[in-house]
Amino acid sequence: MNPSVPLRRQRDYRLLWSARTISITGSEVSKLAVPLTAITLLAASPFQMGVLTAAASVPALLFGLHSGAIADRLRRHRPLMIGCELVSCAAALTVPLAWFLGVLTIPWLIAVALVIGTAAVLFRSANFPYVAALVPPDQRTAAMAGFNASYSVASVAGPGLAGVLVQVLTAPLAVLVEGISFLVSALLLRTIRTPENRQPAPSRGLWHDVVAGLRVSVTQPVLRALLGAGVTINFFAMAYVAVSMLYMLHTLGIPKGLIGLLTALGGVGGLLGAWAVTRLAERYGENKVLLGSVLFFPLEILAVGLLDGPLWWKVTVLALTGTATGGIVVAFASCMSGIILRDTAEELRGRVNATMTFAVQGVMALGGLAGGALAEVLGLRPVILVCAAGIATAILWIWASPLRSPASRPPSDRQPDSVPLNFSTHQERQVTKRPPLV
């Protein structure tokens, strides 16, 4: 690792970034191709579609915490990452093969979703600490911004590419693209040369390791603040998402064709945010960027909840706030990931990241349910205003934490991973952090 070389000129980081971008884009294609296969070719019922949709999220709930403990036990993370991509490739390729042989069924698609979802959970748990081996400490926030830019690129390009492929190749063959993307990702990861020289801490058992990650995340002040803010933001954001399309269609009168375009602008904003956060973090530090970005989270939802007037005005406000929020989310998530890498001991990074991901992503389902239920009672506009007020409470988590204190310095002012603190009688170490969010 050479900190004087920009990330875009570091061969191994480019390979990792390219692998993630290709893999994520392939996954975006399958989000349209797999449901279309189930509906058009297999006549899936609503219940079957619900199970198929849930199957992609089940592995995160079942294995999310354990995956972090597994990652922290490894001397080398890259072999696990390559293996996960190859397993996902094999699972995805069975869909067109089974369709060609006439044996494709809904349970088959559900099994494929479970396998790929499990591999994705393990991959993410290994990828997060692997970045620390690949990227110098003062460039890790920029690296995370690059990965978040990948998600933004995929969110913009993936659905359009999926539509073209489904139209040209049919839905099952479009899943081929996902399988090929996993294979290309594995090959790119295989060509990375940077060695991993880590010594994992001795394990006292899987459950003990999981509890250690949980304990650090809720007892260390900075990590606790990030966890609380992440859970708060995602809960109310998903409550908003659950009712936003109905609100735009029925209350604001936004044409259906414009809703997709407005959604894509969030991805464009994410690209702008990835470009800006690197420069802002270098100048002001991750702490200040995080403190500033969290202030803007409620603004889009509040503006939408109060929006009224002619159609051109509504579309303009939605376009501007949607683009801005896309950038703010990427800025917040990138700094959050950079702070986790900076302030968590090496032997705990996998577990802390897994705990954060489990909580922040797991609460999204509850938020969606709460938003829909409240809308039945209160109506659409009141729920959106409630979401704006709720998401504003994330500001308290961040601004009342040590991140606001001068003692919590940016990485340029301190030695990374220094002065570990004991948090248990077993002398496990922790030093002083998605999304969709993070």
Side-chain angles (χ1 to χ4, degrees), residues 102-151:
V103 296
L104 185 63
T105 62
I106 296 295
W108 192 300
L109 290 178
I110 292 171
V112 168
L114 288 171
V115 170
I116 293 178
T118 302
V121 169
L122 290 171
F123 185 99
R124 288 194 297 267
S125 69
N127 181 72
F128 185 80
Y130 181 64
V131 173
L134 201 67
V135 177
D138 62 347
Q139 293 181 322
R140 289 172 185 166
T141 297
M144 291 301 176
F147 294 134
N148 284 315
S150 297
Y151 286 99

Side-chain angles (χ1 to χ4, degrees), residues 406-437:
S408 183
R409 295 170 293 174
S412 58
D413 297 331
R414 59 183 289 189
Q415 294 297 318
D417 302 330
S418 61
V419 196
L421 303 175
N422 293 330
F423 70 91
S424 79
T425 57
H426 301 300
Q427 302 297 305
E428 289 139 322
R429 298 189 304 144
Q430 170 225 342
V431 284
T432 355
K433 169 184 177 131
R434 175 91 185 319
L437 183 75

